[in-house]
Amino acid sequence: MEPIGVLVLCGMCDYFEEELKKKFKVSKFSDNEEEFLKENANSIRAVIGNGVIGASSELIDQLPKLEIVASHSVGLDKIDLKKCKERGIRVTYTPDVLTDDVADLAIALILTTLRKICESDRYVRSGLWKKGDFKLSTKFTGKSVGIIGLGKIGTAIAKRAEAFNCPISYYSRSEKPNANYKYFSNVLDLAANCQILVVACSLNEETRHIVNREVIDALGPKGFIINIARGLHIDELELMSALVEGRLGGVGLDVYVNEPWIPEQLYGLDNVVLVPHVGSNTSETRMAMADLVIGNLEAHFLNKPLLTPVL
Amino acid sequence: MAEEEELKHEHHEQDLPLVLLLGLDPSSLQKFFPKLFSKFRFVSPYELPDKSMDQFLINHAQSIKVLICEGGGEAVSINSEVLNCLPSLECIVSVSAGVDHIDLTESKRRGIVVTNAGTVFSEDVADYAIVLLLDVWRKISASDRYLRSGLWPIQGEYSLGHKVGGKRVGIIGLGSIGSEVAKRLQAFGCSIAYNSRKKKESVSFPYFSNATDLATNSDVLILCCALTDETYHIINKDVLSALGKEGVVINIGRGALIDEKELVRCLVQGEIGGAGLDVFENEPNVPKELFELDNVVMTPHSAVLTPESFSALHELTIANLEAFFSNKPLLSPVNYE
């Protein structure tokens, strides 16, 4: 049987690449995208993208034989789902396997930001400890945590924060009957009533810039924002001016509007923790995600039920 | 009238109980613990910097009944020599959780009671142990450095970290801090086992009677115990070897709990997976070999540096001193065992 052409848009760990190549004809864009598409478009029946780069409207138009988009992510904002639906293209993603990693990272960002760990590590490495003691940081245990989006990841974050005796509150489109946490029907009230605001919802038209100037002001100079969702959830310009002007206690960011580039102002700030979209970056989870992506592709091409379909 | 007021004030000051400060700069103490200074009078060798400490004590501290000292890497050692200069001493109040800088045996022999910070720091220190562990496993500080150096667009994704859930955590010392650490890590899906002087009957976590066995069965060792003669270098070559290439050590106790030379050698040779260290054998000096390593997170003995811990310590210190001066039971006496 003719090997099935799969176009991979994102980087892959070694395991993923090896396993994928065992079963499919794997290709990646060359430097000349136009030429690449001329030669290969007709043989590409599947696309693999991730949370940063996905099957856009343009790309889908250029791949007439495309049958399935298997995303190596749980976020779907980079895929033109409407177009996929119209053309009958299947879409799968990787929920659940990365929930714990992302929740762990949210707590890690809260702790490293509040307790100034990266700054402390810099303090030691630069020899400053010999000149004097470090300064006070902010205690985490017992602080109020407000979560935007109480899906699987938001719930996992809440469970961990509870172990630190943090009172939990949340905002989501509708109140969750089984959640034991305080619900706020809008993000502004949530921000006014918590000290640590965590963004954990999916990105769509309603949630773009869900953290805006008003929300930042409501959180105030002793407040912290942690973002493990998507850069576009926060009005990045407002965030930068708040940080530069000292109107926020600090932020911990895993995501940015224009990855892998980040706003210049962040480099000069000590009260921010910046990590390069590492939410699911553990060897264990990457293996599980790879297996799930490959499993979905295999299921599709064998006419079996998809493992984790979106469409 | 104003004179009278001043006299009254001076008189009142004279009535305040006298406390010796050892190894603590009075002005720095006043900055963080202002209430102390409205309730007690202090004498300190800092007032006469030209005299040696012993000289100062002999000349100015013969009637002193209680002293305040700090702990940690740069603490004044309260040993026989010092105690010999303080014949009236009845109580030592240490503003630290650790009391390894105090000769407890000598203190007991002389009928001197010692108090420490009790459990006021436990939550902050437990939080710190967790964040050091999360940082090492998920490479937070290392990838923050990577990002700040502009490498993300050039070199792409940073190297993968380790999942937290399912990891085996070995806690050495399951006291107040160790218990708070265990409670938090369980929420991340870690399994807990421990070593301490004695098995705790009320605890359901698996117990190992020595650190090597615990290390064999753990992915990470978290040091939450006091520094004593028995726990000095409790993390040694054998334990590190048993922990193995993927193993991680987290130390929020005292630097001397670990054979630091051996730890550094293991880290440099890749014989263990990483370390998160808030304390060192010779603070504020840190082995420079560690600065080359991305799998080590180092903090400047800052686990208790929060306004909440300081405030709680402030209240506890006042309470202990007031209890002492009114012959009431102390709030956080140290057990001599």
Side-chain angles (χ1 to χ4, degrees), chain A residues 101 104 115 121 125 136-137 139 141 143 164-165 262 269 272 274 278-279 281-284 286, chain B residues 123-124 127 138 144-145 147-148 157 161 163 167 183-184 188 291 293 296 298 302-303 305 307-308:
Chain A
D101 270 2
D104 292 345
R115 297 307 311 269
D121 181 274
R125 283 173 192 262
L136 297 186
S137 60
K139 181 172 182 165
T141 286
K143 291 291 189 309
F164 292 81
N165 296 342
I262 67 170
L269 296 167
V272 306
L274 310 167
V278 297
N281 281 29
T282 66
S283 358
E284 296 90 335
R286 282 306 172 81
Chain B
E123 288 174 341
D124 272 329
D127 288 356
R138 296 300 302 270
D144 175 287
R145 270 196 298 280
L147 206 163
R148 283 176 193 265
E157 198 173 73
K163 192 175 165 72
K167 290 288 188 297
K183 174 182 151 208
R184 283 153 178 70
F188 289 82
F291 297 157
L293 301 173
V296 181
M298 295 167 278
S302 29
L305 296 184
E308 288 89 345

Side-chain angles (χ1 to χ4, degrees), chain A residues 191-210:
Chain A
N193 287 280
C194 72
Q195 197 167 350
I196 302 164
L197 188 64
V198 182
V199 187
C201 58
S202 60
L203 181 66
N204 51 50
E205 267 151 37
E206 286 103 47
T207 61
R208 184 182 192 280
H209 286 195
I210 196 170

Side-chain angles (χ1 to χ4, degrees), chain A residues 100-101 104-105 107 111-112 115 117-118 120-122 124-125 129-130 134-137 139-141 143 159-160 163-165 256 259-262 266-267 269 272-276 278-279 281-284 286, chain B residues 123-124 127-128 130-131 134-135 138 140-141 143-145 147-148 152-153 157-158 160-164 167 183-184 187-188 280 283-286 290-291 293 296-303 305-308:
Chain A
D100 284 337
D101 270 2
D104 292 345
L105 181 70
I107 302 294
L111 276 166
T112 48
R115 297 307 311 269
I117 301 302
C118 305
S120 301
D121 181 274
R122 288 196 286 274
V124 174
R125 283 173 192 262
W129 192 12
K130 298 197 188 186
F134 194 63
K135 53 190 162 180
L136 297 186
S137 60
K139 181 172 182 165
F140 175 40
T141 286
K143 291 291 189 309
K159 175 178 152 220
R160 285 153 176 74
F164 292 81
N165 296 342
Y256 313 84
E259 296 170 22
W261 293 277
I262 67 170
L266 288 174
Y267 290 114
L269 296 167
V272 306
V273 173
L274 310 167
V275 293
V278 297
N281 281 29
T282 66
S283 358
E284 296 90 335
R286 282 306 172 81
Chain B
E123 288 174 341
D124 272 329
D127 288 356
Y128 225 71
I130 306 301
V131 70
L134 290 176
D135 194 329
R138 296 300 302 270
I140 310 295
S141 290
S143 63
D144 175 287
R145 270 196 298 280
L147 206 163
R148 283 176 193 265
W152 195 12
E157 198 173 73
Y158 193 62
L160 297 179
H162 298 92
K163 192 175 165 72
V164 176
K167 290 288 188 297
K183 174 182 151 208
R184 283 153 178 70
F188 289 82
F280 302 84
E283 295 170 14
N285 300 297
V286 172
L290 298 182
F291 297 157
L293 301 173
V296 181
V297 180
M298 295 167 278
T299 52
H301 203 150
S302 29
L305 296 184
T306 67
E308 288 89 345

